[in-house]
Amino acid sequence: MPLFSLPGVHVPHRKNTSDMAAVKEFMPKSVLIPTAMHIGKPASVCVKPNQEVKVGELIAAADGFVSSNIYSSVSGKVKKIDSVLLSNGSYVPGVLIESDRLMTPYEGITPPEITDYKSFIDALSKSGIVGLGGAGFPTQVKLSVKDLSLIEEIIINGAECEPYITSDTRTMIDDADKIKDGIELLKKYLLAKKVTIGIENNKPQAIKKMVETFKDDTAVNVKALPSLYPQGGEKVLIYNITGKVVPEGKLPIDVGVIVINCTTVAAIADFVKTGMPLVSKCVTVDGSAVKEPKNVIAPIGSSISELIEFAGGFKEEPGKVLYGGPMMGIAVPSLDSPVLKNTNAIIALNKKDSVTPEPTECIRCGMCVNNCPFNLQPVKIAAAYNNKDGAELKDLKVNLCMECGCCSYVCPARRPLVQTNRLGKGYLREFLAMEAKKAQEEKA
Ligand code: SF4
Ligand code: SF4
């Protein structure tokens, strides 16, 4: 695998809400909770229309280990089992619940009994917690390690490098105790001897709070990192903190590292202490089209339109509304779409900020290659994709592309490079599946 060549690109920070503690008073009229908000198999709905539910009650059960339980985020009545359109164009079942606005907790909630690593992972598999930084990987899977002695270091990802987003920043400032408790759990059950919290240096308040919180803990280091996008990318963060390169096709644990998002750590602590599973999420609502940007604790399944209304509504017509930031965010299918477990921001940009510039001819400046954290070659990838050359896409290692968008961002010709990379990755998957099928048929 190529080495990382550059520290990243400078993007505007626009952290307008970093001084704003998350507002907790937001209460949606209803929630639509999809059964697929995680990597892995969708959960199976286990409630029926007209059934009364309470906050933290199971409404869809995980289908296997690489899946995640889903719990009601409000108390009220199940209206119907609906179909929800996701950003990737697929439809999955979702549970529509009309809130009674009482937020009554489910009486069956009790803290899990944890005595060792196995019971810790078992508990997490019931918590509904997934990677809250955006990845959505079920946390019990992420923390499952064959041999705990392989773990040399746990990295807590507080980089939050995308413009606008400050939900992790607020967690580090407002819920520092939960992060402390979560790290204690990781130290106790994963036997982690060294923990490093990586935070970009444009978040001085968060760095100060973490330094204060861990001043007496010699096992925990707080590392201020340059504010360079994509600092929060898992492999980039590992390299910038440890100097280690995760080899192609390998996982962080193969170089002795586990990376976990800071808000996920706080959610683990909350669940272990109270037994309340993941039912809400701190979401940054911002962007040039939003009247009163803020951080909001939103019940999962809240509609984006209600959330934006809570932030004063639109001050002008939006051109684009995104799940996540402007670099890696994905367009929301509709304003009725729900807040998902891994939604860290809803960013609404005005029409001017949403204009995609007309691409011009490539001038072969090489900036896209020079600014790719993995030294990929987006121009060659685009050509291979246009020629439908799966073998070439494989050779060019398009599968390593993390879709960070640095190449598109720096391209003076405004070529849609990240988009062709994404298409190239999809084509390579199809090509490899076809190759595997052919090989099987030849064998038979
Ligand atoms: S940055 Fe843009 S113009 Fe420069 S080589 Fe890459 S695609 Fe061509
Ligand atoms: S989007 Fe992919 S190719 Fe472009 S800079 Fe990021 S990792 Fe490299």
Side-chain angles (χ1 to χ4, degrees):
M1 175 181 166
L3 283 176
F4 300 104
S5 57
L6 279 178
V9 297
H10 290 276
V11 293
H13 299 155
R14 299 199 177 124
K15 303 281 189 183
N16 309 314
T17 54
S18 60
D19 289 338
M20 299 179 190
V23 181
K24 296 182 177 146
E25 286 74 28
F26 173 61
M27 204 184 280
K29 290 189 210 76
S30 61
V31 290
L32 174 59
I33 308 181
T35 50
M37 299 185 277
H38 51 265
I39 290 171
K41 280 179 139 183
S44 308
V45 174
C46 56
V47 286
K48 291 195 165 57
N50 293 321
Q51 186 175 332
E52 301 278 348
V53 289
K54 293 181 178 159
V55 180
E57 187 167 347
L58 187 72
I59 57 170
D63 186 4
F65 189 60
V66 188
S67 183
S68 186
N69 277 352
I70 292 172
Y71 297 89
S72 181
S73 58
V74 294
S75 54
K77 190 184 267 187
V78 176
K79 293 298 286 179
K80 60 175 173 173
I81 310 305
D82 213 344
S83 186
V84 190
L85 174 62
L86 302 179
S87 286
N88 63 8
S90 65
Y91 285 88
V92 294
V95 182
L96 178 66
I97 305 166
E98 191 175 65
S99 169
D100 60 12
R101 305 183 84 81
L102 298 174
M103 299 300 271
T104 312
Y106 179 55
E107 45 286 326
I109 285 169
T110 46
E113 268 186 44
I114 301 174
T115 50
D116 56 11
Y117 173 66
K118 188 184 172 301
S119 53
F120 181 56
I121 296 296
D122 286 348
L124 289 180
S125 65
K126 295 186 181 78
S127 69
I129 300 172
V130 301
L132 300 179
F137 204 64
T139 299
Q140 72 276 9
V141 182
K142 179 138 204 176
L143 297 185
S144 289
V145 182
K146 273 195 197 119
D147 177 358
L148 291 177
S149 70
L150 294 173
I151 304 172
E152 290 167 23
E153 183 168 0
I154 292 184
I155 294 176
I156 310 296
N157 192 345
E160 200 159 54
C161 56
E162 275 256 10
Y164 290 107
I165 309 176
T166 64
S167 50
D168 283 348
T169 303
R170 287 317 311 184
T171 303
M172 287 186 279
I173 297 167
D174 303 327
D175 288 326
D177 289 349
K178 289 184 185 174
I179 293 181
K180 190 175 190 326
D181 291 348
I183 288 177
E184 280 307 315
L185 292 166
L186 298 180
K187 281 162 57 183
K188 186 169 177 186
Y189 296 117
L190 274 75
L191 311 179
K193 288 173 198 67
K194 186 176 179 191
V195 178
T196 303
I197 306 172
I199 311 173
E200 277 194 339
N201 61 12
N202 63 349
K203 302 168 189 70
Q205 265 185 291
I207 293 172
K208 188 165 171 257
K209 188 73 188 190
M210 287 292 101
V211 169
E212 270 169 26
T213 304
F214 292 99
K215 65 180 188 307
D216 298 324
D217 190 338
T218 52
V220 181
N221 297 306
V222 179
K223 189 165 169 96
L225 301 160
S227 303
L228 287 166
Y229 181 83
Q231 190 68 262
E234 190 171 73
K235 290 177 179 176
V236 177
L237 194 64
I238 292 172
Y239 180 69
N240 286 343
I241 287 181
T242 67
K244 292 176 181 173
V245 173
V246 180
E248 187 182 343
K250 298 283 179 186
L251 295 169
I253 192 62
D254 295 312
V255 294
V257 178
I258 286 179
V259 180
I260 183 163
N261 165 268
C262 60
T263 301
T264 311
V265 173
I268 292 173
D270 218 12
F271 169 70
V272 169
K273 188 171 179 184
T274 66
M276 178 59 80
L278 184 75
V279 291
S280 61
K281 181 73 187 45
C282 178
V283 181
T284 302
V285 187
D286 198 355
S288 47
V290 174
K291 211 181 263 178
E292 297 161 15
K294 46 172 65 78
N295 284 305
V296 183
I297 302 294
I300 288 158
S302 305
S303 81
I304 289 168
S305 54
E306 268 196 87
L307 191 59
I308 289 177
E309 209 46 50
F310 187 73
F314 292 122
K315 63 182 174 193
E316 54 186 298
E317 205 186 329
K320 204 185 263 179
V321 181
L322 301 167
Y323 279 124
M327 296 300 285
M328 286 187 81
I330 301 171
V332 303
S334 112
L335 288 179
D336 294 329
S337 296
V339 166
L340 309 172
K341 284 182 180 179
N342 59 347
T343 301
N344 51 11
I346 297 294
I347 304 299
L349 302 173
N350 64 21
K351 292 211 157 156
K352 184 172 146 271
D353 290 348
S354 308
V355 172
T356 310
E358 265 311 298
T360 55
E361 283 302 307
C362 170
I363 58 169
R364 304 195 177 278
C365 64
M367 298 264 285
C368 51
V369 182
N370 294 341
N371 284 279
C372 173
F374 304 118
N375 275 344
L376 299 178
Q377 302 178 68
V379 179
K380 287 191 176 174
I381 289 171
Y385 172 69
N386 290 335
N387 294 332
K388 299 286 175 284
D389 189 340
E392 177 73 355
L393 284 167
K394 189 176 168 202
D395 285 351
L396 290 167
K397 300 187 187 302
V398 67
N399 55 318
L400 291 182
C401 174
M402 61 184 276
E403 300 174 25
C404 65
C406 288
C407 49
S408 301
Y409 185 77
V410 297
C411 174
R414 316 313 290 163
R415 309 285 310 160
L417 302 169
V418 67
Q419 289 87 342
T420 36
N421 290 344
R422 207 171 279 148
L423 293 168
K425 282 169 77 176
Y427 187 78
L428 178 60
R429 270 196 298 275
E430 282 171 29
F431 172 79
L432 293 175
M434 258 164 22
E435 293 284 287
K437 197 172 163 213
K438 250 194 262 167
Q440 252 187 353
E441 281 167 2
E442 276 167 21
K443 224 167 132 189

